[in-house]
Amino acid sequence: MSDRYLDFAHSSFGKTFASMLGLPTPPRLRRPDAPWAGQLLEGKFVLIGGDDAAVLSEPLLTAIHGMGAGLRIVPEHVGLPPLKKAAAKLKLSLAGNPSAESGEPRSHALVFDASGLNSIESIRELYDFMQPLVRGLPSNGRVLVVSRAPESADSVLAKTMSMAMRGFVRSLAKEIGKNGSTANLLEVEIGGESGLDAPLRFFLSEHSAYVSGQTLSVGPAEGTSRIALPGSLNGKVALVTGAARGIGASIASVLAREGAQVIGMDHPSQEGALGETMASLNGVGLALDVTAADAAERIAAEVGPRFGGLDVVVHNAGVTRDKMLRNMSPQFWDMVLNINLGAILRINEGLLKKGLQQNGRIVCISSIGGIGGNAGQTNYASTKAGVIGYADAMAPLMAKRGGAINAVAPGFIETQMTAAMPMAPREVGRRINSLSQGGMPQDIAEAVAFLASPAAAGINGRTLRVCGQNWFGA
Ligand code: NAP
């Protein structure tokens, strides 16, 4: 479950060898080793630009300043008026971008407020801002474009330009991945300004190390706009299924790192491993098959008396039983459908009646296999695509309760599941993405912790790919 080539390519011999043969050197990605920090960009600089009709300057500057970052601009950039006006109102100072020779630290992130783009001419402002700067992005740098969501665009041209941002970000992400840098797009619905802080923190920090080329929409975060991401999971009660090992164990660990009381659930055959994982997190182990007919009642009975109820449910347990459809047994079909999808629907139905707090949050683990499809995975891909539809369909109901449901679609992640793949497809699987490497279970866990937080309230019914911009299904 480790990427030996990545380690080799960073050794002194490996570097020479890789460059002689023209082999890629996957960048080392920086991941967080501590809980969400308030000032998580302290000592770093963010270079901000925008179009001259941009409308999100104020919430953007507030949020980025709130992360402790120094704010920089390019003084010659034409889209500065909205930024300057917002900075004056907020009493924030905007420094000029230092020259490469100045010895000043490079800017960690480039952020462009594209919320006012409404013509071919205006989109040139994006090019003028990004083109000269992208070369200076440090390793593990961040590019973030913030636009109006196409559904919230008020004209044909505004919608066209909003969609254009998706292509821009997807392509730039492919260019800068060699450097360990990422590019993403945050689409803001009308009223979504109130929910901007949490996704900005996620995309601009190490917590999103393996998320690139993605678009995430944020809507109004009614009533919760003052909840900050750092500390927001403190004291929350979170259930994670399939928590004995792999991605589930990492989700449990990151939620515990953020202060949650974790209840880890896994198949009774994994009781020993589950006990060990939970002991290290002060968590509670629940040896229970997710497909048990009374799973929801047993979860509620375990949680209710001790903790009151669940604030977070993460449906992570999943299996593969791959076969070409022509050779697939009904047992393989039924097993995968039942564990990966049927159990999620049944458990949620029960927990929504009893066990999940009114404003509880649900995160379901999907897969890029459910987006791209895969020969030999008609069963698995059906379930993982179903999960995406389910999150979308359940979002209005969850919003009415003051909660949310979202899905995370992992790409190739280094776990026992992928270690069991034959060598050739495994090696291809872990390289065919913009960061030339597989993700770590922690990468999925960081995205889950972000979406599980009440601070991410503006994000509901969405699917976030955590795949290093895998070419599969993209
Ligand atoms: P994993 O290492 O196989 O772990 C899955 C865990 O779920 C295991 O402990 C497993 O226990 C448990 N589980 C399976 N069936 C269960 C059941 N009926 N009741 C309770 N627990 C059960 O898998 P992983 O790689 O961490 O994957 C976790 C999730 O991410 C899955 O939903 C998977 O589809 C998804 N995913 C993974 C990747 C990847 O690259 N690894 C990519 C995309 C999506 P047993 O040992 O008893 O089966």
Side-chain angles (χ1 to χ4, degrees):
M1 282 175 283
S2 72
D3 184 348
R4 293 215 186 103
Y5 176 73
L6 191 148
D7 291 332
F8 170 72
H10 282 270
S11 67
S12 52
F13 173 66
K15 267 185 201 149
T16 319
F17 185 78
S19 88
M20 257 168 52
L21 295 185
L23 295 171
T25 303
R28 283 211 188 277
L29 302 184
R30 281 200 288 277
R31 298 178 166 93
D33 55 7
W36 284 102
Q39 304 264 301
L40 85 176
L41 294 186
E42 179 139 49
K44 294 191 168 162
F45 294 88
V46 174
L47 196 37
I48 312 177
D51 67 87
D52 57 6
V55 295
L56 297 171
S57 306
E58 216 176 299
L60 269 177
L61 288 178
T62 307
I64 297 169
H65 173 70
M67 294 175 219
L71 302 167
R72 286 176 173 165
I73 51 165
V74 181
E76 311 77 57
H77 179 55
V78 291
L80 286 178
L83 279 168
K84 283 190 167 164
K85 197 169 152 207
K89 186 168 169 203
L90 298 166
K91 300 192 172 40
L92 296 176
S93 52
L94 303 171
N97 187 34
S99 68
E101 301 74 45
S102 69
E104 296 262 339
R106 287 193 269 171
S107 298
H108 157 73
L110 309 177
V111 175
F112 190 86
D113 180 357
S115 57
L117 292 184
N118 59 8
S119 67
I120 293 286
E121 294 71 39
S122 64
I123 207 170
R124 175 67 195 267
E125 294 172 31
L126 170 71
Y127 167 87
D128 287 340
F129 176 75
M130 291 285 181
Q131 195 276 339
L133 296 174
V134 77
R135 200 187 299 271
L137 206 59
S139 81
N140 283 265
R142 296 285 182 267
V143 171
L144 187 65
V145 177
V146 184
S147 71
R148 264 287 173 235
E151 313 82 65
S152 298
D154 55 8
S155 69
V156 170
L157 273 170
K159 183 166 190 170
T160 307
M161 297 311 139
S162 170
M163 290 298 289
M165 293 303 97
R166 295 186 184 182
F168 177 85
V169 162
R170 284 184 198 130
S171 295
L172 185 56
K174 290 184 176 175
E175 294 181 15
I176 63 179
K178 289 180 205 71
N179 198 16
S181 296
T182 65
N184 290 290
L185 174 64
L186 188 55
E187 293 182 342
V188 185
E189 294 168 18
I190 300 293
E193 292 80 344
S194 57
L196 261 182
D197 191 75
L200 282 173
R201 283 176 182 271
F202 179 69
F203 280 124
L204 292 179
S205 69
E206 294 176 354
H207 295 263
S208 61
Y210 199 60
V211 182
S212 196
Q214 302 309 305
T215 298
L216 187 67
S217 285
V218 58
E222 276 143 20
T224 51
S225 56
R226 284 177 205 287
I227 299 176
L229 199 48
S232 60
L233 288 172
N234 231 337
K236 300 283 181 197
V237 182
L239 176 84
V240 182
T241 69
R245 63 161 194 259
I247 293 173
S250 189
I251 293 171
S253 156
V254 169
L255 291 176
R257 182 196 76 192
E258 296 300 326
Q261 167 64 58
V262 174
I263 294 138
M265 178 167 148
D266 211 299
H267 196 268
S269 63
Q270 298 298 318
E271 196 166 6
L274 179 65
E276 278 174 36
T277 308
M278 287 305 117
S280 64
L281 309 173
N282 252 339
V284 175
L286 179 58
L288 178 60
D289 187 332
V290 291
T291 64
D294 60 350
E297 291 74 25
R298 287 172 65 186
I299 294 166
E302 174 78 23
V303 174
R306 293 172 75 175
F307 306 111
L310 292 164
D311 300 291
V312 174
V313 176
V314 184
H315 291 286
N316 163 77
V319 293
T320 50
R321 290 294 182 275
D322 298 353
K323 278 279 176 208
M324 292 298 196
L325 185 60
R326 58 180 174 266
N327 300 324
M328 188 176 293
S329 66
Q331 289 78 10
F332 270 22
W333 178 268
D334 290 344
M335 182 188 187
V336 172
L337 266 287
N338 200 14
I339 295 174
N340 294 9
L341 189 57
I344 298 180
L345 272 56
R346 274 192 305 278
I347 290 176
N348 284 348
E349 196 183 342
L351 290 181
L352 285 167
K353 285 186 198 134
K354 187 178 174 205
L356 184 68
Q357 300 285 15
Q358 191 62 17
N359 61 354
R361 312 185 68 79
I362 301 174
V363 185
C364 304
I365 304 301
S366 173
S367 167
I368 59 165
I371 298 168
N374 217 357
Q377 289 199 318
T378 49
N379 51 358
Y380 183 78
S382 299
T383 64
K384 296 301 186 180
V387 160
I388 293 172
Y390 175 71
D392 181 32
M394 287 289 286
L397 171 79
M398 294 302 291
K400 250 188 226 153
R401 292 170 56 110
I405 179 168
N406 291 287
V408 170
F412 182 102
I413 306 298
E414 305 283 355
T415 67
Q416 207 161 306
M417 191 183 258
T418 46
M421 289 168 71
M423 201 180 99
R426 184 173 71 231
E427 192 49 27
V428 173
R430 61 157 65 107
R431 299 288 165 229
I432 53 163
N433 59 73
S434 299
L435 299 166
S436 319
Q437 60 196 288
M440 290 295 157
Q442 183 188 351
D443 298 322
I444 308 305
E446 297 292 347
V448 169
F450 156 60
L451 292 170
S453 164
I459 300 160
N460 190 15
R462 308 293 173 190
T463 295
L464 178 63
R465 287 175 62 135
V466 181
C467 64
Q469 199 182 24
N470 198 297
W471 305 343
F472 193 62

